[in-house]
Amino acid sequence: MHLLTLSILGLATHVSASLYSAAGDALGISARSARGYAPDLAISGGVLTSKWVEGTKYTQIVEFVVTNNHPANSLTLADTLNITLKSNNLELVQSATLTRLAPKQAAVVQLGVRNLRNTPSGSTCSGTIVATYGQGYGPVVTRDQTITGICGIPDYTADTGSLGHHWNPDWYNNVKFGIFIHWGLYSAPAFGNATPVQDYSEWYWCRQHDPNYRTKTYQYHEKTYGRNFNYDQFMANFTDTGYDPVAWINLFAEAGARYIVPVTKHHDGFALFNTSPNVSRRSSMYYGPKKDLIGPLLAAAKQYQPQIRRGTYFSMPEWYNPQYAQYKNPDPNWAGGCFGAENINPYTKAPLDYTGHVQVNDYVTGLQLPQMNELAYNYETELMWCDIGGANNATIFASKWLNWARDQGRQVTFNNRCGIGGDFQTPEYATNVDTVVAKWESNRGMDPFSFGYNYRTPDSEYLNGNDIVQSLVDIVSKNGNFLLDIGPKHDGSIPEIMQKGLRDAGSWIIPHGESIYDTRYWSVTPGKGNFRYTTTKDAFYIHYLTKPGSTITITDPVPWLPGDTVTVLGGSQNGKVVQATKSGNNLVLQLNDAIINGDKYGWTFKLAYTSNY
């Protein structure tokens, strides 16, 4: 969200010299010449966040950056780093430490605190983060930083200033890989044409109105269905005969996914959930399958694969809803130009009924907000994945939802497309070339350029297991999540080529999971060429994205010290020790044939911080 983004970017700016200068530091990683050569630590960017430690009674997370400014000495276990907080307002519940921090590198660290009895939630309070180290071999070194912020997890109010304090929860940082699901009326025509003129098949209805659009959907529809076959008639072709929500969820688990985001209503306004008949009857409850399609999927995840978090996609506007016309953007090209347009036959220009439409007082307050509330409270979504933005009451929705979820002990999040900022950014069919400190999520389809199923796409153009794995590793190394979309067919069956790609990817992701889930980006670089890196408190992971030779030479200043253990992660040689030596400033890994031939898609090496050198 706006204020959150500022605080994160401010944090990144404050430590940027330490975070990124090491990438070109000619010193590289230098081990201590003897015990007792201490690092030079600094604390910066301390923030009292809106997050709390999962499984606790609102233990508030304080987040900050620790930087090692020493040009040669690493922080190791020998330094016995202990980080606490002193405050007249807060009680320390969880202290913190770091196992390793190489020269000129930095790491994000968290403490856990609770308000003292005389400190009301939402009040402004202050404290001092205190780090001590070195007591095992000499005088104690102390470093500190004073912080001021909002104590506790107070109520949000319906304004961007209040909502700007909300952070995406740590569970969202940890899940990394999700499945997006575009299934709706557009799955019946399933047409987005083919490369190089392909477009999103889920935009079929909008593209049908433009005879000059590159997909030639206007011409295709006329030839295939006739001039008088209207889009809403696809409701009769939309069924659930191939839909098995338990099988879907088990497939996603096999793929290694940790969250799902099914489309509950796309821009055509057709809802796949049990929305009130006083709000809209344009839904799968009244047409097509005549049942709730979203509820069983979320219930299956909760019952059979509880590690999978449950989100919901929701289009804020509807293309041809007559009551959205008053909110039509004056820019005729805004968001494709169809939102708020007149619902007419594209060929005869005759006006059409908007099937299932219920007249309400106002689109935003009478339809959009009630449907968002249904997803939040009736379906208990953990992630509201809005789309398009436009006219909204999102501040009212978000403030009440966040407060309600908090009172239940649940941490929820929403993206940047609700019209009011958001907890994370969502580049579409795109990624970032470098690490972005503010949380982000890349979303795209397995199809080369469609979220909905497109029957014109040949199997050879879908992402395969290798493509998915390499995209995931790249995105995670840069502080992103990867939301990968599938497009089921009109009957709810998932195309075999998509199932195969997901299972192939999962055969790599699950055995290598400790290097993906719950990891954080490396402060120096995400990696270049065939290298990508991820980190945890106790280990550093080197991902090599092509089949290696007998040696791998790493020129980046990875935090290896003599006495550290390097092992293979995943594949047939999982757990096998790898010989690691320094050659100048480089780290060299020696690989035998079994390791070289023992994996696919990517070779991962775990550098465990076992040295206290």
Side-chain angles (χ1 to χ4, degrees):
M1 308 187 66
H2 184 62
L3 292 181
L4 171 61
T5 302
L6 287 177
S7 67
I8 291 177
L9 292 177
L11 172 62
T13 301
H14 186 74
V15 300
S16 60
S18 298
L19 284 175
Y20 298 109
S21 65
D25 188 349
L27 289 171
I29 300 297
S30 300
R32 306 167 189 228
S33 57
R35 292 181 186 273
Y37 283 70
D40 180 14
L41 303 185
I43 301 171
S44 62
V47 180
L48 282 156
T49 75
S50 65
K51 303 183 290 185
W52 65 87
V53 179
E54 291 278 342
T56 69
K57 193 171 183 179
Y58 308 112
T59 296
Q60 185 179 10
I61 292 173
V62 178
E63 198 162 279
F64 52 96
V65 172
V66 176
T67 304
N68 181 4
N69 290 318
H70 201 283
N73 296 340
S74 292
L75 171 78
T76 74
L77 290 168
D79 295 297
T80 58
L81 173 68
N82 186 44
I83 307 175
T84 61
L85 184 134
K86 296 180 179 179
S87 172
N88 294 325
N89 311 112
L90 299 164
E91 171 192 7
L92 179 69
V93 178
Q94 291 186 7
S95 60
T97 189
L98 279 173
T99 306
R100 176 70 51 80
L101 194 58
K104 297 293 184 180
Q105 296 185 20
V108 176
V109 182
Q110 295 181 339
L111 292 170
V113 299
R114 277 200 297 260
N115 288 14
L116 293 173
R117 288 187 177 182
N118 62 345
T119 305
S121 183
S123 60
T124 299
C125 58
S126 61
T128 302
I129 301 169
V130 180
T132 59
Y133 60 97
Q135 54 265 42
Y137 51 76
V140 175
V141 180
T142 301
R143 296 287 186 266
D144 58 41
Q145 186 203 15
T146 299
I147 61 170
T148 300
I150 298 174
C151 287
I153 316 295
D155 280 351
Y156 293 93
T157 56
D159 62 87
T160 55
S162 174
L163 294 169
H165 184 62
H166 188 257
W167 291 53
N168 58 273
D170 279 351
W171 70 254
Y172 179 75
N173 287 331
N174 294 337
V175 290
K176 306 301 184 187
F177 182 42
I179 301 296
F180 216 178
I181 309 161
H182 276 66
W183 181 40
L185 296 186
Y186 43 83
S187 307
F191 176 81
N193 216 320
T195 305
V197 296
Q198 182 182 1
D199 190 29
Y200 297 167
S201 69
E202 64 275 14
W203 278 65
Y204 184 95
W205 196 11
C206 178
R207 302 311 184 204
Q208 185 194 350
H209 284 74
D210 184 356
N212 298 316
Y213 196 74
R214 68 174 186 266
T215 55
K216 301 302 179 184
T217 305
Y218 176 94
Q219 292 82 358
Y220 170 83
H221 185 92
E222 182 179 23
K223 180 179 179 180
T224 306
Y225 302 103
R227 294 163 63 89
N228 293 314
F229 186 96
N230 300 315
Y231 180 83
D232 281 356
Q233 291 177 257
F234 285 124
M235 292 179 183
N237 303 97
F238 181 63
T239 75
D240 68 335
T241 56
Y243 176 48
D244 184 340
V246 175
W248 277 25
I249 286 297
N250 289 336
L251 171 64
F252 304 153
E254 284 186 70
R258 290 290 179 90
Y259 67 111
I260 56 170
V261 183
V263 169
T264 66
K265 184 187 76 172
H266 206 259
H267 312 325
D268 59 8
F270 188 80
L272 274 62
F273 62 100
N274 187 9
T275 186
S276 168
N278 297 323
V279 170
S280 175
R281 299 190 181 191
R282 187 177 176 82
S283 75
S284 62
M285 299 296 296
Y286 290 89
Y287 301 95
K290 296 186 178 178
K291 63 178 66 171
D292 180 3
L293 300 175
I294 297 299
L297 182 65
L298 301 184
K302 190 172 184 178
Q303 180 176 354
Y304 297 106
Q305 301 292 346
Q307 78 280 9
I308 295 179
R309 296 280 185 161
R310 304 172 301 281
T312 48
Y313 167 105
F314 180 80
S315 177
M316 303 290 280
E318 296 176 10
W319 280 324
Y320 303 111
N321 188 312
Q323 291 192 268
Y324 195 78
Q326 66 173 306
Y327 296 111
K328 182 176 175 62
N329 194 293
D331 178 357
N333 297 315
W334 181 79
C338 295
F339 293 103
E342 187 179 3
N343 185 23
I344 59 173
N345 182 305
Y347 309 98
T348 67
K349 309 305 179 184
L352 298 174
D353 290 334
Y354 194 60
T355 306
H357 175 64
V358 173
Q359 189 73 16
V360 294
N361 290 332
D362 175 78
Y363 176 86
V364 171
T365 60
L367 187 150
Q368 181 194 89
L369 183 58
Q371 287 190 331
M372 294 178 77
N373 285 337
E374 288 169 339
L375 295 172
Y377 304 118
N378 299 348
Y379 289 80
E380 296 188 338
T381 185
E382 298 177 276
L383 189 165
M384 183 62 78
W385 213 102
C386 303
D387 203 5
I388 303 299
N392 67 84
N393 272 167
T395 55
I396 295 173
F397 163 75
S399 58
K400 292 182 178 180
W401 176 47
L402 293 176
N403 294 338
W404 178 79
R406 176 210 55 203
D407 292 345
Q408 292 189 324
R410 299 169 57 236
Q411 300 191 69
V412 296
T413 188
F414 58 102
N415 70 349
N416 66 325
R417 302 190 188 190
C418 299
I420 56 168
D423 292 343
F424 56 94
Q425 302 297 305
T426 53
E428 188 168 309
Y429 271 88
T431 184
N432 287 302
V433 297
D434 207 340
T435 299
V436 175
V437 176
K439 189 63 185 179
W440 61 283
E441 173 196 79
S442 176
N443 66 93
R444 62 154 296 161
M446 293 184 72
D447 187 290
F449 199 66
S450 183
F451 289 93
Y453 175 63
N454 179 13
Y455 88 90
R456 292 292 304 276
T457 300
D459 285 358
S460 61
E461 291 190 9
Y462 283 96
L463 294 187
N464 58 31
N466 180 71
D467 299 326
I468 295 168
V469 166
Q470 299 223 344
S471 293
L472 175 65
V473 172
D474 175 67
I475 290 165
V476 170
S477 74
K478 298 170 182 174
N479 195 37
N481 283 10
F482 186 26
L483 184 61
L484 177 66
D485 179 80
I486 63 164
K489 294 182 178 181
H490 69 96
D491 62 355
S493 61
I494 299 174
E496 286 296 326
I497 189 63
M498 296 185 189
Q499 294 189 47
K500 183 179 187 303
L502 291 177
R503 289 192 174 98
D504 285 351
S507 71
W508 187 95
I509 294 168
I510 293 171
H512 298 77
E514 72 170 81
S515 69
I516 300 295
Y517 312 122
D518 306 318
T519 61
R520 295 296 180 263
Y521 64 92
W522 187 29
S523 66
V524 176
T525 175
K528 297 178 178 64
N530 288 319
F531 290 99
R532 294 294 183 273
Y533 308 108
T534 54
T535 70
T536 64
K537 183 181 71 173
D538 300 314
F540 184 90
Y541 298 92
I542 301 162
H543 301 274
Y544 195 68
L545 300 180
T546 192
K547 188 173 183 178
S550 58
T551 62
I552 294 177
T553 300
I554 305 161
T555 59
D556 293 312
V558 299
W560 177 89
L561 289 175
D564 283 341
T565 303
V566 178
T567 55
V568 176
L569 179 65
S572 65
Q573 301 301 298
N574 181 55
K576 292 296 178 67
V577 175
V578 175
Q579 182 181 349
T581 57
K582 287 303 282 289
S583 175
N585 292 325
N586 301 331
L587 181 66
V588 180
L589 305 183
Q590 303 287 341
L591 310 181
N592 59 33
D593 287 345
I595 294 173
I596 293 169
N597 297 309
D599 217 334
K600 61 179 182 178
Y601 305 156
W603 279 249
T604 302
F605 304 94
K606 177 181 179 179
L607 191 168
Y609 300 145
T610 51
S611 172
N612 62 355
Y613 186 73

